[in-house]
Amino acid sequence: MKQNITMGFAAVLFLVSCSNKEKMLDSLADYNNAKEAKGYHFGDKLDLPKEVTENAESVTISFGDKETTDLTIDPKFFTLGDNAVTFNIKTKGGEVLNQDATINVFTKTPEQNIPYTIVADYPHDPKNFIEGFVVEGNTVYESDGMKGASQLIKYTLGSDVPRIVAKQPAEIFSEGCAIVGDKVYQLTYQNKIGFIYDKNTLKKISEFPLPGVIGEGWGLTYDGKNLIATDGSKNLYFLDVNNPSKVVKTMAVGGNSTIYNQLNELEYHNGLIYANVWHEPVILKINPVNGEVIGKFDFSQLTKENDKGDSEHVLNGIAFKGDHMLVTGKNWEKIYEVTFK
């Protein structure tokens, strides 16, 4: 009889324990789901539900190889945009519960929609699947992708006939490019290497392995000190210009209510970074100090006029001619010159 009572009591404790665990995890899931769309800002405190706080001995958040007991959204720990984390709860009963979640961190100031005016257009070879686009004076340096068709070309703005063509081997898929002094740096998509050319002749000088953290090469620009690369994520990678295989720092990009992943073609101009988002007809204006998106250009109409119904013929070219922006896209027939304030 005593044995039956003991077993029954143990069963009750087990059921109560399971019930408490489920309540803790369910309430935490509901809380995280409710906060995911609204998001947080740096400095905000996570106000976890009482079902968690009243039954937890401790709560930590792990993010990659980092872990913290501080429930404040600290930029030392979190980045702008989406953060994949795990909540680790040690209950007062000594059990450890884990729950994965996404914590979105947004900027406090909404990004400005920037009006612009088209003041000129120039021909662009529609055969070119443009991946990188830089202009110096009246000279265009363009990196075109696709295996078997990748190339780096140089031509005069206003002409779609190249002055110099550097063809790539068939297995190479070229991506973003940037000018540093008398050299052109060029990324590749999945070949894990980059190239350095003589700017005047487009003769290849050398090549370098992409940093291991960069899964794919996408966009590239130069801020006067470092190369800046994208890999299709929310991150900007600042690379040592003398050793492009070395990442100097990584910066996430974020807006006031939007997660900007798939950052692609880049341009640095007058202390700001401009980036397009793959498969989106927008160009972002980014503060290079903190990754905050402070402005946005909407090129929906130009994209519609130039994609000819092909979803891959996306906006993908940003350069500057003085203070005027030049924009184009993959297989577009034109380059547009726009002014803005």
Side-chain angles (χ1 to χ4, degrees):
M1 186 69 172
K2 285 184 179 180
Q3 184 178 7
N4 289 340
I5 292 173
T6 302
M7 290 178 63
F9 184 66
V12 169
L13 288 178
F14 177 76
L15 291 173
V16 169
S17 174
C18 289
S19 176
N20 283 339
K21 286 193 294 184
E22 288 177 3
K23 285 181 180 178
M24 292 175 74
L25 292 175
D26 287 347
S27 63
L28 182 58
D30 290 342
Y31 170 79
N32 287 328
N33 290 336
K35 293 293 293 184
E36 188 170 337
K38 185 178 180 182
Y40 297 88
H41 303 105
F42 288 127
D44 288 353
K45 184 85 172 179
L46 277 72
D47 186 18
L48 299 181
K50 66 179 183 178
E51 288 84 358
V52 174
T53 57
E54 290 179 355
N55 293 286
E57 181 179 309
S58 66
V59 178
T60 66
I61 301 175
S62 58
F63 179 42
D65 59 353
K66 298 177 288 185
E67 188 170 10
T68 182
T69 58
D70 186 358
L71 299 183
T72 302
I73 303 299
D74 188 334
K76 293 179 183 177
F77 187 75
F78 295 91
T79 68
L80 286 170
D82 51 340
N83 295 263
V85 305
T86 301
F87 284 88
N88 310 295
I89 304 167
K90 184 178 181 181
T91 70
K92 290 179 179 178
E95 295 178 277
V96 177
L97 310 178
N98 305 107
Q99 188 174 93
D100 295 335
T102 298
I103 292 179
N104 291 326
V105 181
F106 299 118
T107 62
K108 292 184 178 179
T109 305
E111 48 269 53
Q112 174 191 13
N113 289 313
I114 305 173
Y116 59 88
T117 302
I118 299 172
V119 295
D121 62 64
Y122 308 91
H124 178 256
D125 190 338
K127 295 192 300 294
N128 293 349
F129 197 76
I130 188 169
E131 298 286 3
F133 186 58
V134 188
V135 174
E136 267 198 351
N138 217 35
T139 301
V140 179
Y141 297 82
E142 181 176 316
S143 175
D144 300 318
M146 302 301 282
K147 290 184 178 180
S150 286
Q151 60 185 359
L152 179 67
I153 59 175
K154 180 177 178 179
Y155 58 92
T156 301
L157 185 64
S159 170
D160 58 0
V161 179
R163 287 158 32 197
I164 305 176
V165 178
K167 290 283 188 183
Q168 302 284 20
E171 71 275 9
I172 296 296
F173 193 126
S174 296
E175 283 283 346
C177 64
I179 293 174
V180 180
D182 60 357
K183 298 180 177 68
V184 180
Y185 289 69
Q186 182 189 46
L187 300 181
T188 59
Y189 177 37
Q190 294 177 326
N191 301 97
K192 302 291 187 180
I193 57 174
F195 301 109
I196 303 175
Y197 302 86
D198 179 277
K199 183 179 72 176
N200 298 311
T201 64
L202 298 191
K203 296 293 185 184
K204 190 174 81 170
I205 299 171
S206 60
E207 59 185 62
F208 56 90
L210 297 188
V213 70
I214 297 180
E216 298 175 345
W218 285 41
L220 191 67
T221 191
Y222 178 59
D223 67 359
K225 182 180 179 181
N226 296 303
L227 291 163
I228 307 172
T230 57
D231 66 347
S233 68
K234 65 176 180 178
N235 293 326
L236 298 173
Y237 301 93
F238 291 72
L239 310 180
D240 185 339
V241 70
N242 296 312
N243 178 14
S245 301
K246 178 183 176 182
V247 176
V248 176
K249 66 176 177 179
T250 301
M251 179 181 295
V253 171
N256 179 248
S257 61
T258 304
I259 304 297
Y260 292 111
N261 288 310
Q262 298 190 312
L263 299 179
N264 198 1
E265 224 272 306
L266 296 174
E267 184 72 13
Y268 182 88
H269 180 71
N270 282 353
L272 295 164
I273 298 171
Y274 295 81
N276 84 307
V277 180
W278 188 49
H279 277 286
E280 296 290 339
V282 298
I283 290 176
L284 309 178
K285 185 178 181 181
I286 302 166
N287 183 340
V289 175
N290 55 17
E292 178 178 349
V293 177
I294 58 178
K296 184 167 62 174
F297 299 85
D298 185 345
F299 289 107
S300 297
Q301 188 58 40
L302 287 185
T303 301
K304 185 177 180 181
E305 291 173 4
N306 285 274
D307 66 12
K308 300 187 185 303
D310 191 323
S311 62
E312 295 304 318
H313 292 181
V314 294
L315 173 75
N316 200 56
I318 313 166
F320 276 86
K321 180 175 177 279
D323 284 328
H324 292 190
M325 181 188 285
L326 298 173
V327 297
T328 188
K330 296 178 180 180
N331 302 111
W332 286 21
E333 293 182 348
K334 291 183 179 180
I335 298 168
Y336 297 88
E337 181 178 345
V338 304
T339 61
F340 60 93
K341 292 184 179 179

